[in-house]
């Protein structure tokens, strides 16, 4: 990740400054995703006091506390370094200003006075202490009311995204964050919850990073078993509803991928729709849901045949960012982690962009064993876990085993079923709906949930 000097004017400014030898350096940390008058104002204020050194937050610095920015670091760098008055842009790799303030030892740091309250309060105190120690000053300027990034983010979310931006965002998340947190969506409404729900934590806002389009929940929500009976066209109809009202990346459950000759079309269709990744599982014959384990016949596909399916998909894709992930069903079929690992090697060699290992064991021992062995051989290849049965492990623990992506594969549908059942039962018992009202979302909320209804 480079740094840049904005323009010929800035180069001249830097040289003149260097010649003067005394001009102050003023540090300004920015996300730089959405440029608005508040940002121009703070740059103007900084410029009055010295040469403006921007610490541009990297994707990973941002996702530790907020959602992934719309623009990549390189795009944000291009925009911010072109702003008049910006002298130099350096990456700020951490959410905290402290490491860069120590590294660059500016004469001052400038910040909006909004950090006196809220999540940045402790950071503000640390910055004051460090600047005092380093002999610099902290400049606080009145926060520009009415034009803040949060409001612009909300507006952009309402506009939506493009297939291209959405598709590429999963790779960006993988570069920026471990683990990436994915939740199942089977409808526009469940997608909306995943898109919007955020909770405040000590580390910043926490939300889901993207969505899993599950064959199980797509099938069950249509009253069908999870045996590839719901065809791709039908699954894409559901997906379109999710695409309509969300912007986050989508990982598509591609079941077995079907025949290689068909899978190549699936890949292109998913890419065209802005899906980031497809996961296909190495099973043969009639596919049954993995969570049945060995209660049903789980036939593993011959390795060369499945490897060729992956290679065919990789040859077919148009973008370089689309990911084809191989899902190993060895543990589901009662095989060993060694067998799974041998398959992982073959599928990575065939071009798989990631490996998903699945198990229905509650202990997590088999998954952990696989993760350790896999990470011993492949430090970087994304590793995907689906902790449906071994749900007691936290994301932090799974990440410490080596997980890159964690998928909550069916929880939105499983949550909705008992909720509906309770309400239906209550109405039957009481022969009226009053008792069920408290179990339901208020009418006012449901009519106002989706803007534009009035
Ligand atoms: C799905 O969600 O459809 C999956 C994961 O494939 S599992 O149901 O655990 O097999
Ligand atoms: Mg499935």
């Amino acid at each position: 990740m480079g740094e840049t000097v904005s323009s010929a004017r800035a180069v001249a400014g830097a040289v003149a400054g260097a010649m003067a030898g005394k001009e102050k350096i003023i540090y300004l940390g920015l996300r730089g995703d959405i440029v608005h008058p508040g940002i121009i104002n703070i740059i103007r204020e900084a410029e009055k006091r010295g040469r403006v050194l921007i610490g541009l937050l990297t994707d990973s610095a941002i996702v530790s506390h907020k959602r992934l920015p719309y623009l990549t670091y390189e795009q944000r760098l291009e925009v911010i370094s072109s702003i008049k008055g910006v002298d130099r842009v350096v990456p700020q790799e951490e959410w905290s200003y402290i490491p860069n303030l120590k590294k660059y030892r500016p004469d001052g740091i400038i910040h909006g006075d909004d950090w006196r309250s809220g999540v940045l309060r402790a950071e503000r105190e640390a910055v004051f202490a460090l600047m005092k120690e380093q002999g610099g000053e902290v400049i606080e300027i009145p926060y520009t009311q009415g034009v803040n990034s949060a409001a612009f983010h909300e507006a952009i979310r309402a506009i939506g995204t493009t297939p291209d931006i959405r598709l590429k965002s999963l790779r960006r998340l993988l570069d920026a964050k471990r683990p990436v947190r994915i939740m199942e969506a089977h409808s526009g409404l469940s997608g909306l919850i995943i898109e919007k729900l955020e909770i405040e934590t000590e580390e910043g806002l926490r939300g889901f990073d993207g969505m899993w389009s599950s064959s199980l929940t797509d099938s069950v929500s249509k009253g069908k078993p999870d045996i590839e009976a719901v065809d791709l066209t039908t699954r894409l109809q559901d997906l379109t509803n999710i695409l309509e009202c969300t912007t986050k990346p989508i990982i598509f459950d591609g079941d077995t991928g079907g025949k290689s000759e068909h899978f190549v079309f699936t890949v292109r269709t998913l890419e065209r729709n802005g899906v980031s990744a497809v996961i296909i599982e190495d099973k043969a014959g009639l596919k049954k849901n993995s969570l049945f384990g060995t209660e049903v016949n789980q036939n593993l596909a011959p390795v060369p045949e499945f490897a060729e399916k992956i290679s065919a998909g990789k040859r077919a894709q148009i973008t370089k960012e689309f990911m084809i992930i191989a899902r190993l069903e060895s543990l589901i079929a009662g095989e060993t982690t060694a067998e799974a690992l041998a398959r992982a090697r073959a599928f990575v060699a065939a071009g798989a962009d990631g490996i998903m290992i699945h198990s229905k064991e509650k202990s997590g021992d088999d998954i952990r064993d696989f993760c350790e062995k896999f990470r011993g051989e492949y430090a970087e290849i994304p590793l995907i876990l689906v902790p449906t049965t071994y749900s007691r492990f936290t994301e932090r623990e799974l990440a410490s085993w080596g997980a890159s992506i964690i998928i909550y594969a069916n929880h939105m549908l499983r949550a909705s079923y008992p909720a509906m059942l309770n309400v239906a039962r209550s109405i039957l018992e009481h022969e009226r709906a009053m008792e069920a009202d408290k179990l339901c979302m208020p009418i006012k909320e449901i009519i106002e949930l989706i803007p534009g209804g009035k």
Side-chain angles (χ1 to χ4, degrees):
M1 208 161 282
E3 56 183 71
T4 188
V5 171
S6 69
S7 61
R9 193 199 68 82
V11 175
V15 172
M19 276 165 38
K22 277 206 218 94
E23 209 180 341
K24 287 186 172 172
I25 306 281
I26 308 296
Y27 188 86
L28 170 61
L30 282 183
R31 271 194 279 175
D33 197 20
I34 298 163
V35 177
H36 53 77
I39 288 179
I40 301 300
N41 179 47
I42 200 163
I43 292 172
R44 290 287 90 82
E45 290 298 326
E47 202 184 3
K48 285 181 197 162
R49 293 163 171 90
R51 284 160 54 195
V52 183
L53 172 63
I54 304 282
L56 187 62
L57 273 73
T58 60
D59 277 4
S60 68
I62 295 169
V63 294
S64 65
H65 281 69
K66 303 250 172 177
R67 61 173 286 165
L68 191 69
Y70 291 90
L71 303 179
T72 62
Y73 181 87
E74 286 68 28
Q75 290 169 327
R76 293 184 283 117
L77 179 63
E78 197 180 329
V79 172
I80 296 299
S81 58
S82 306
I83 295 176
K84 186 164 150 280
V86 170
D87 191 63
R88 188 178 168 206
V89 184
V90 296
Q92 181 175 317
E93 312 266 4
E94 308 274 334
W95 176 256
S96 168
Y97 304 106
I98 301 291
N100 265 8
L101 294 179
K102 284 186 179 160
K103 182 169 176 187
Y104 295 101
R105 302 185 71 89
D107 302 286
I109 170 172
I110 191 162
H111 204 286
D113 61 5
D114 55 311
W115 68 342
R116 289 182 183 169
S117 60
V119 285
L120 281 174
R121 228 172 73 195
E123 175 71 8
R124 175 177 179 265
E125 277 165 30
V127 166
F128 265 93
L130 179 71
M131 291 306 280
K132 190 169 171 206
E133 194 187 308
Q134 292 187 170
E137 60 171 334
V138 181
I139 306 142
E140 284 181 338
I141 61 156
Y143 187 60
T144 309
Q145 294 299 332
V147 279
N148 61 66
S149 301
F152 281 99
H153 274 277
E154 196 47 52
I156 286 205
R157 192 145 65 185
I159 296 166
T161 186
T162 67
D164 188 57
I165 290 179
R166 193 200 295 257
L167 190 158
K168 292 174 178 167
S169 62
L170 182 63
R171 289 230 191 226
R172 288 179 59 205
L173 276 165
L174 279 165
D175 283 342
K177 176 164 200 254
R178 286 286 150 98
V180 172
R181 182 185 298 118
I182 301 288
M183 174 60 117
E184 169 262 330
H186 54 273
S187 61
L189 196 59
S190 53
L192 263 186
I193 293 176
I194 300 163
E195 177 74 16
K196 289 192 166 176
L197 182 66
E198 280 173 342
I199 60 163
E200 291 255 11
T201 74
E202 289 198 341
E203 297 138 25
L205 291 176
R206 183 182 298 153
F208 290 100
D209 297 309
M211 288 158 281
W212 165 243
S213 172
S214 151
S215 70
L216 173 66
T217 66
D218 271 1
S219 304
V220 169
S221 61
K222 287 167 192 57
K224 294 245 170 80
D226 182 18
I227 53 170
E228 298 187 277
V230 181
D231 63 34
L232 181 68
T233 309
T234 312
R235 296 218 25 223
L236 286 173
Q237 283 169 3
D238 280 353
L239 194 69
T240 301
N241 293 330
I242 297 170
L243 292 170
E244 286 264 348
C245 59
T246 63
T247 62
K248 291 183 178 176
I250 294 171
I251 303 178
F252 190 82
D253 177 358
D255 286 318
T256 64
K259 295 184 186 346
S260 279
E261 292 85 345
H262 298 167
F263 181 54
V264 293
F265 289 103
T266 306
V267 165
R268 291 199 175 180
T269 302
L270 293 174
E271 273 191 297
R272 239 186 349 266
N273 279 285
V275 170
S276 301
V278 64
I279 300 187
I280 53 171
E281 58 196 273
D282 60 350
K283 288 217 282 256
L286 179 63
K287 189 217 83 155
K288 299 278 172 69
N289 184 274
S290 303
L291 300 174
F292 283 120
T294 49
E295 272 174 50
V296 296
N297 272 342
Q298 303 277 13
N299 301 314
L300 294 183
V303 172
E305 187 184 304
F306 193 75
E308 169 47 29
K309 200 185 294 188
I310 288 169
S311 301
K314 289 307 290 174
R315 286 194 300 272
Q317 74 182 62
I318 309 240
T319 63
K320 71 176 193 309
E321 290 86 3
F322 186 76
M323 299 175 74
I324 298 179
I325 295 167
R327 162 171 167 176
L328 309 176
E329 291 286 301
S330 304
L331 305 177
I332 295 293
E335 294 286 348
T336 61
T337 49
E339 207 272 345
L341 198 63
R343 284 175 169 259
R345 287 189 200 108
F347 302 152
V348 169
D353 299 294
I355 292 290
M356 170 183 152
I357 178 74
H358 205 17
S359 168
K360 71 178 281 284
E361 281 305 309
K362 281 202 165 97
S363 71
D365 293 346
D366 52 351
I367 290 285
R368 186 181 191 153
D369 180 44
F370 177 87
C371 288
E372 277 163 10
K373 288 181 177 141
F374 181 78
R375 277 286 170 251
E377 291 185 34
Y378 302 97
E380 296 298 331
I381 301 240
L383 182 58
I384 293 89
L385 299 186
V386 181
T388 304
T389 51
Y390 52 101
S391 58
R392 69 191 164 98
F393 296 101
T394 63
E395 293 167 4
R396 207 177 289 256
E397 285 171 298
L398 299 174
S400 77
W401 299 357
S404 324
I405 299 180
I406 290 165
I407 301 179
Y408 298 97
N410 41 48
H411 298 75
M412 299 299 263
L413 190 77
R414 280 169 61 207
S416 66
Y417 186 76
M420 292 192 288
L421 205 59
N422 279 341
V423 166
R425 183 172 285 135
S426 168
I427 291 175
L428 282 183
E429 278 171 9
H430 301 284
E431 295 183 273
R432 66 175 186 187
M434 189 183 83
E435 288 75 11
D437 278 343
K438 61 178 181 304
L439 304 173
C440 294
M441 182 182 192
I443 288 291
K444 185 167 164 48
E445 260 180 51
I446 185 104
I447 59 174
E448 288 178 356
L449 183 67
I450 316 290
K454 261 189 189 154

